[in-house]
Amino acid sequence: MAIFNKLALLAVAVALVSAAPINHGPASSVDASSASSPSPSPSPSPSSFDSLVTDPVIAAASSGTFSGRGTWFTDSVGSCGTSFTTDDLIVAMNAPQQGDDGNGNAQCGKHVRIQYNGKSVTAKVVDTCPECAEGSLDLSQAAFKTLAPLGQGVIDITWSFV
């Protein structure tokens, strides 16, 4: 059985290494044909930084109304580098909508209004939820309790940036 587990892990590793990279623009573009012989990347020009601010993925991720699952979590510091408690009205943004500002935290510090079953709460983005699907948010206990009892665990939410 141990050999099977090692072979399965090896297969996953090979699949990940051989997968084509995702091109997110000039700052992270990689030519798969040159992956075996790395070459120095040119220094980003100011226009490269400007493209991060106007990146259509980030812009699309921060406009409109979204829907997904709302869950709750406990922690004390998030990917945005902000400390918090379970009593703070904060959320962890799903990774696809968190965007990429060079640190993977484009939505940090923004506020979202979350709605569920006729109730709403406004919370600050201070973390990333890597396992959350697009449209979903991981809420602090305080934010979740504003919408539903913690025992409910998962709720269907709608939300937007404010």
Side-chain angles (χ1 to χ4, degrees):
M1 189 66 170
I3 292 173
F4 176 76
N5 289 338
K6 288 179 182 178
L7 289 175
L9 286 173
L10 180 61
V12 169
V14 169
L16 290 173
V17 169
S18 64
I22 298 173
N23 184 351
H24 289 288
S28 66
S29 61
V30 175
D31 180 2
S33 65
S34 66
S36 61
S37 58
S39 59
S41 301
S43 298
S45 65
S47 62
S48 296
F49 293 115
D50 293 340
S51 70
L52 292 173
V53 175
T54 58
D55 185 328
V57 173
I58 294 172
S62 60
S63 63
T65 300
F66 307 97
S67 60
R69 296 173 60 153
T71 53
W72 60 268
F73 72 107
T74 59
D75 209 343
S76 59
V77 67
S79 64
C80 300
T82 304
S83 297
F84 50 85
T85 71
T86 57
D87 295 326
D88 293 326
L89 296 175
I90 54 97
V91 299
M93 177 69 60
N94 65 78
Q97 288 179 287
Q98 180 65 291
D100 188 3
D101 65 352
N103 293 321
N105 299 317
Q107 308 304 348
C108 288
K110 294 185 179 178
H111 288 83
V112 294
R113 177 168 292 117
I114 308 151
Q115 299 177 331
Y116 169 73
N117 205 22
K119 298 177 183 177
S120 70
V121 64
T122 300
K124 183 178 180 179
V125 178
V126 299
D127 200 359
T128 304
C129 178
E131 60 276 350
C132 291
E134 186 167 346
S136 296
L137 298 174
D138 211 4
L139 290 69
S140 65
Q141 288 184 356
F144 193 96
K145 286 191 292 190
T146 303
L147 303 172
L150 292 179
Q152 195 161 341
V154 179
I155 56 177
D156 293 321
I157 59 170
T158 57
W159 61 274
S160 59
F161 287 93
V162 292

